[in-house]
Amino acid sequence: MAPTCQSCRPQLIMIHPCVCVCLCACVFSDSEPPSSPQVVEDGGEEDEEELSGGEEADLRSSSGRGSLLTRRGITLRVLLKDGLVEPGDGVLAIHYLGKNFVGDLLNDGKIRWVETGQIFNSPSAWATHCKRLVNPAKKSGCGWASVRYRGQKLVQYKTTWLHKYQPSADMSLVSEEEDDEDEEEGKTAVQAEEKNKNNKPGLNGSVSLLPNQRSLTWPRVCVCVCVCVDGLSTVVLRDPHTLVELSAFSAINRFQPFNVAVSSNVLLLMDFHCHLTSSEVVGYLGGRWDTNTQLLTVLRAFPCRTRLADRDSASAVEEEICQNLFMRGLSLVGWYHSHPRGPALPSLQDIDSQMDHQLRLQGSNNGFQPCLGVICGPYYHGNQGVASTITPFWVVPPPEQRPNDHGIPVAVEVTYVQDNFLTSDVLNEMMLLVDYYRTAPDIVHFSQYWCPDTTMMDKIKGSLSCHAPKDQAYSQILEHVYSQLSCTH
């Protein structure tokens, strides 16, 4: 059985497009016991305007109802005390750029985020935190206009309180600017959610393991990078298989927000997996995220030995990968997939999937954690020589004013670290892959020719040599693997 966590509710993150892995902070942390809920006080500019309980009491002390409360003084604690709202589980919600967040209203007026158990002192603190997960550039949360209590915005409860207890108060105490901004977000939230459901089956919060089978018709249409600097319009780009050239962080006036180091054994196993079949394959990336150095280290690839729409084996693959991550003390840090005969560029569907994975990994931790996407193109004739093209990428969220647009795919600069030797677990995984694809109808015939003077066997050997460890004895070790590939037909 895969390890389970009794102290929190595990999540399922669906890696493109059909296998799930349990994402639980307790399972994938370095075996640290679950801590008490973290109280988040930073709510950006908005949160600074809300009063503490003592200040609120001072404002209302001597003259009772006769004393006027400013907008800052009307807190959730006030609304609870005067009976306009009641504490409860799951009564608070934020809908932002197609993403939904649910919170519990506690007796003391604080908010507990259902997904992580974090405690927030105010609606603004919670809204800012959630919105920054979707859009790191977000400065403030506009909490009272963004957070809904039982479907109605909190700012409307604030207005009701003023009408009831301070009817002579200036209604400008309630910020119209906040209301207008969130109204625009609300109008697009349903449309964005519909786009997520259509383009990413199985990634919309359900536990379904059977998304639609992807079409792998080649060649696909490739879009120039100039289209995506300000976001990719879903009106113009309707085909989810349209490929998009990557931009650079500098081209969109940004710095890469994290550093990445990838082990050579990761590249070798991933490249080997992608070479075995003419169909698209997927896999996971395990590693560690250092919040102090902002370094994402990718240490292990976990190929998915399953078909993209294989309902029967998906759960077994999920359990095995979860167990492997846990036993090695690694976290899920990314995913990879192949474009067998096409360019190693993300499609619109890949961009949406990557954006969703980024949000899910961030939402599973108390702070920012990147999720790396990698595309491997082994048999594209536009490659330079026999080596596969391997493309690490990340997605910058679309502008807030156009939430239905696709995110901006950007190339990630990576440091490749040469391992000392080929580990036994990587070699064992290679043999398991050979056995899995041995009788597959779409296995590559390695005796056939890749080009007039190069066989498929020559091609895979040449490509894997680009990821060689320092110990040159690896070539003799791999000869056994290559001999097994020759016997697959």
Side-chain angles (χ1 to χ4, degrees), residues 96-100 134 188-206 211-212 234 240 348-349 351-357 359-360 398 403-407:
Y96 180 66
L97 299 185
K99 306 302 179 182
N100 298 320
V134 182
T188 56
V190 175
Q191 297 173 346
E193 185 67 20
E194 286 301 315
K195 184 193 76 169
N196 291 341
K197 291 180 180 179
N198 293 334
N199 289 348
K200 300 190 295 297
L203 291 175
N204 53 10
S206 68
N212 297 331
T234 56
L348 295 179
Q349 184 174 356
I351 293 170
D352 282 345
S353 296
Q354 173 65 18
M355 187 72 253
D356 198 77
H357 301 335
L359 176 64
R360 288 172 182 264
N404 287 332
D405 288 4
H406 297 275

Side-chain angles (χ1 to χ4, degrees), residues 379-397:
Y379 294 117
Y380 178 54
H381 280 279
N383 294 343
Q384 297 294 321
V386 297
S388 301
T389 299
I390 296 178
T391 304
F393 75 105
W394 198 65
V395 175
V396 175

Side-chain angles (χ1 to χ4, degrees), residues 111-318:
I111 298 170
R112 180 174 57 221
W113 186 14
V114 169
E115 186 173 3
T116 65
Q118 289 173 269
I119 305 298
F120 296 85
N121 283 334
S122 68
S124 297
W126 184 42
T128 299
H129 180 82
C130 293
K131 290 184 178 184
R132 283 176 180 169
L133 292 179
V134 182
N135 178 16
K138 184 67 176 174
K139 300 299 182 183
S140 63
C142 300
W144 283 83
S146 300
V147 179
R148 295 173 182 267
Y149 173 80
R150 300 189 184 277
Q152 189 173 9
K153 294 178 185 178
L154 283 178
V155 71
Q156 294 173 294
Y157 288 92
K158 184 181 290 189
T159 303
T160 301
W161 189 96
L162 287 170
H163 279 300
K164 184 174 182 180
Y165 296 114
Q166 296 179 182
S168 60
D170 184 357
M171 287 300 109
S172 64
L173 292 174
V174 181
S175 172
E176 295 178 358
E177 181 180 352
E178 286 183 355
D179 197 39
D180 291 342
E181 176 181 331
D182 196 65
E183 189 66 37
E184 183 62 29
E185 293 172 2
K187 290 177 182 177
T188 56
V190 175
Q191 297 173 346
E193 185 67 20
E194 286 301 315
K195 184 193 76 169
N196 291 341
K197 291 180 180 179
N198 293 334
N199 289 348
K200 300 190 295 297
L203 291 175
N204 53 10
S206 68
V207 192
S208 170
L209 300 179
L210 189 61
N212 297 331
Q213 182 72 30
R214 294 186 57 182
S215 170
L216 300 179
T217 304
W218 301 99
R220 302 183 186 184
V221 179
C222 190
V223 180
C224 181
V225 67
C226 62
V227 186
C228 63
V229 171
D230 293 322
L232 296 172
S233 172
T234 56
V235 176
V236 178
L237 306 174
R238 297 181 182 275
D239 185 356
H241 306 300
T242 300
L243 298 181
V244 181
E245 289 193 24
L246 297 178
S247 178
F249 278 99
S250 58
I252 56 175
N253 299 317
R254 298 200 183 193
F255 293 100
Q256 183 171 310
F258 52 89
N259 299 313
V260 181
V262 179
S263 157
S264 61
N265 280 342
V266 169
L267 298 174
L268 187 143
L269 181 55
M270 178 173 58
D271 198 10
F272 180 78
H273 184 201
C274 297
H275 267 92
L276 295 182
T277 171
S278 58
S279 298
E280 187 169 325
V281 301
V282 297
Y284 300 87
L285 300 174
R288 296 188 178 93
W289 167 242
D290 190 324
T291 56
N292 295 322
T293 62
Q294 296 291 287
L295 175 63
L296 185 74
T297 307
V298 184
L299 299 171
R300 182 69 159 82
F302 296 91
C304 294
R305 296 188 300 275
T306 183
R307 294 294 173 174
L308 297 187
D310 190 343
R311 181 195 300 269
D312 296 331
S313 64
S315 58
V317 171
E318 170 194 340

